[in-house]
Amino acid sequence: MEVIPIANRKDVAKLAGVSEATVSRVFNQVGPIREETKTKVLEAAAQLNYYPNAIAQSFAKGKSNNIGVIVPYLPKVRIMSTHYFSELMSGIGAMLGEMGYGLLLLFQSPDEPKDYVQLFRSQKVDGLIILGSKNATGEVEALTRLHELQLPYCLINQTYTGHLFHSIDANHVQGSLEAVSTLIKQGIEQIIFLNGPLEYSNSSERLEGYCLALEQAGIVKNTDYIFQGNYSRKSGYKIAADIAPYLSTCKAIFAANDRMAIGLMQGLQDLGYRATVDYLLIGYDNSEMSRMTTPSLSTVNVPLFDMGQLAAKKILQLISQPTDTFINERLPVTFIERQSSRWGQSPSN
């Protein structure tokens, strides 16, 4: 995709036939300016789709005291009822409430054109926290504009190779490495991995951790054992039929989130396979449902609430003290062992 160059103050000055200093005075509202000159500058800026870095200063004069939180809109999915989004939102809301800021929830369709800057330009928000971002058409370009203009924003649980976007994340490579290594230590070498879409960086990182665990144990990776769902319980249930034939040789499964793991467990049970009897299973995220399954689900705890809090804190710091410093923090994860990763009664019983 062709990336459209971002216009700068010099471009506006040239098109309007004025000096760069005049452009600055128009946008900063400094000193007397002829109405005709002001109109020429604003029309040139609109024609070039130019948003000045100084826009942040204008917001400081009249802040909305709202932080926008962008979440993906998925038809027929109650996204806020999921452990992942509810924990992140709780952490964000707790920090913003403590600091006297409001939270403006903004739903965005995956196919909707991305224009994060417009949310600032309309002065709806003083900062943006972006959830559910993925490596898709238009996303990198929209984030690049946001970053170039030095507007306060932060991604959660998504990074982009080759781009220095502000982000708060967790150590997913280490999390999946520890989970898979736990299974290998029990003498299991053939391990199935049920991953999410690779357009999410955390899926790529969990795959990296899975491969690293095999490599460290001297086990050759078999791509036939790698499956892909979409992080929903339904996708885990559906893929059970594809995984079941491998359970004669593969005695363990690692799923990239709890929802898929639980759906998979239910699907395999309907096909006559029992967790801890015919196979071992580990999920990821440490959702509430992981403690309620039978057997209880071993998983990897991701500090989602803390990630939300930290992202909100960083946004408020960017608003009060703009900086060129790149924000990239990763919080540690912890393996939680429960019944599903330990053998129960023997399959012969």
Side-chain angles (χ1 to χ4, degrees):
M1 170 180 289
E2 180 183 358
V3 178
I4 300 174
I6 298 175
N8 55 38
R9 187 174 59 189
K10 183 177 181 180
D11 297 326
V12 175
K14 182 178 179 180
L15 183 60
V18 299
S19 67
E20 292 184 49
T22 298
V23 174
S24 293
R25 286 200 301 272
V26 169
F27 283 104
N28 289 321
Q29 301 179 18
V30 176
I33 303 172
R34 291 169 54 189
E35 193 62 32
E36 179 184 357
T37 301
K38 180 179 179 181
T39 299
K40 287 168 61 178
V41 169
L42 293 178
E43 287 179 350
Q47 183 175 336
L48 293 170
N49 208 23
Y50 167 72
Y51 305 101
N53 289 346
I55 195 170
Q57 298 175 357
S58 68
F59 292 156
K61 300 175 184 177
K63 292 181 179 178
S64 68
N65 275 347
N66 284 325
I67 301 299
V69 180
I70 297 180
V71 296
Y73 171 70
L74 302 172
K76 300 181 181 180
V77 176
R78 297 174 181 174
I79 198 165
M80 298 312 297
S81 68
T82 65
H83 170 79
Y84 176 81
F85 285 103
S86 64
E87 283 293 297
L88 286 174
M89 293 299 299
S90 294
I92 293 169
M95 176 58 69
L96 295 182
E98 181 181 331
M99 302 304 293
Y101 273 78
L103 186 157
L104 183 62
L105 197 57
L106 304 168
F107 287 95
Q108 188 170 70
S109 169
D111 300 325
E112 182 180 343
K114 306 296 187 297
D115 189 357
Y116 300 133
V117 172
Q118 176 59 27
L119 296 173
F120 286 91
R121 193 164 183 245
S122 61
Q123 299 191 28
K124 290 181 180 178
V125 296
D126 299 332
L128 275 183
I129 297 175
I130 304 172
L131 311 182
S133 180
K134 57 185 179 180
N135 193 359
T137 301
E139 187 75 21
V140 172
E141 288 84 353
L143 290 170
T144 298
R145 286 189 61 82
L146 202 56
H147 194 78
E148 290 279 351
L149 295 173
Q150 299 181 347
L151 296 173
Y153 78 94
C154 188
L155 299 168
I156 296 184
N157 215 33
Q158 177 72 13
T159 57
Y160 292 85
T161 302
H163 296 276
L164 301 180
F165 297 139
H166 299 314
S167 67
I168 301 297
D169 211 332
N171 194 338
H172 300 299
V173 174
Q174 182 61 36
S176 62
L177 169 64
E178 188 170 350
V180 176
S181 295
T182 298
L183 297 170
I184 294 174
K185 288 176 183 176
Q186 297 188 61
I188 304 172
E189 294 191 356
Q190 311 305 316
I191 300 171
I192 291 171
F193 178 37
L194 174 54
N195 200 10
L198 292 178
E199 58 198 7
Y200 298 109
S201 62
N202 55 86
S203 297
S204 298
E205 291 169 5
R206 288 169 195 173
L207 175 60
E208 181 181 346
Y210 166 82
C211 294
L212 184 58
L214 298 180
E215 180 183 335
Q216 290 182 353
I219 301 172
V220 177
K221 178 184 71 175
N222 187 336
T223 56
D224 290 342
Y225 298 161
I226 301 176
F227 296 82
Q228 182 176 303
N230 65 6
Y231 284 127
S232 70
R233 184 195 64 81
K234 186 175 182 180
S235 72
Y237 185 89
K238 283 186 173 182
I239 212 163
D242 297 324
I243 288 178
Y246 289 91
L247 294 185
S248 59
T249 54
C250 299
K251 295 302 179 183
I253 306 168
F254 171 50
N257 80 335
D258 290 345
R259 289 170 66 84
M260 289 195 300
I262 292 169
L264 177 61
M265 187 190 301
Q266 293 170 335
L268 290 175
Q269 181 175 325
D270 288 349
L271 294 171
Y273 296 91
R274 295 170 293 171
T276 75
V277 175
D278 301 303
Y279 66 94
L280 301 184
L281 176 64
I282 295 177
Y284 202 101
D285 281 342
N286 193 27
S287 63
E288 288 186 10
M289 288 301 298
S290 66
R291 297 184 286 275
M292 301 177 186
T293 60
T294 302
S296 57
L297 182 64
S298 295
T299 185
V300 176
N301 181 63
V302 181
L304 298 170
F305 183 90
D306 295 340
M307 290 166 65
Q309 273 198 320
L310 183 57
K313 179 180 178 180
K314 293 298 183 182
I315 279 288
L316 298 182
Q317 289 176 350
L318 287 172
I319 291 172
S320 61
Q321 297 177 333
T323 177
D324 293 332
T325 303
F326 169 51
I327 296 172
N328 180 23
E329 295 197 25
R330 288 183 179 264
L331 302 187
V333 299
T334 309
F335 176 67
I336 307 293
E337 184 180 30
R338 298 196 180 103
Q339 295 172 337
S340 69
S341 60
R342 300 192 300 264
W343 291 113
Q345 61 183 10
S346 121
S348 60
N349 289 347

